[in-house]
Amino acid sequence: MWRLLLFVALACSVADSKKDYKKDFEDAKKKFGIHNGLQSESKAANKKRYKCFKKFSKMVEHINADHSATFLAVNNFMSILTEEEQKSYMGLNVTGHEVSSPPTLL
């Protein structure tokens, strides 16, 4: 019995590793593309964007596989951005507060 369960688990993991993300990518582009100004791009740019989306989606799946996590990760507008575009959001201060210099020690 346990061999059957092991086989099923192995078969599921192999099938999952070959997951086709194209439909998810197209859905995400429809949902978030207008927000990011991605109406039309060259095939090369779209291919690069798909590769980044696939990497992002695998990260989301990895996070969600951790059953001890108290949250659920999802693809968002960042999922369809290239790595360079994602980096442009790093360090963004969305609080609206000015960054002050650290206090000096006397």
Side-chain angles (χ1 to χ4, degrees):
M1 180 68 175
W2 65 272
R3 288 182 182 174
L4 177 62
L5 292 174
L6 181 63
F7 176 74
V8 170
L10 181 61
C12 288
S13 68
V14 169
D16 188 46
S17 68
K18 297 185 183 291
K19 179 179 177 181
D20 185 7
Y21 293 90
K22 290 181 180 155
K23 183 181 180 328
D24 294 340
F25 177 61
E26 292 303 321
D27 290 345
K29 276 190 359 182
K30 287 178 188 171
K31 186 173 182 179
F32 306 116
I34 294 172
H35 170 73
N36 292 325
L38 305 176
Q39 286 80 13
S40 62
E41 290 187 301
S42 69
K43 283 188 178 188
N46 197 50
K47 187 175 181 178
K48 181 179 181 182
R49 194 170 298 285
Y50 172 71
K51 185 177 177 184
C52 292
F53 173 81
K54 191 173 174 181
K55 181 178 177 183
F56 193 98
S57 292
K58 286 182 179 185
M59 178 186 65
V60 167
E61 290 170 356
H62 178 73
I63 291 168
N64 289 338
D66 179 4
H67 298 294
S68 67
T70 58
F71 62 93
L72 179 67
V74 296
N75 284 323
N76 57 25
F77 79 98
M78 297 281 283
S79 66
I80 62 170
L81 300 179
T82 63
E83 290 179 355
E84 295 81 22
E85 292 167 335
Q86 289 174 5
K87 286 178 186 176
S88 72
Y89 284 88
M90 301 299 175
L92 178 66
N93 179 2
V94 296
T95 65
H97 298 286
E98 295 283 331
V99 176
S100 58
S101 58
T104 57
L105 298 173
L106 298 174

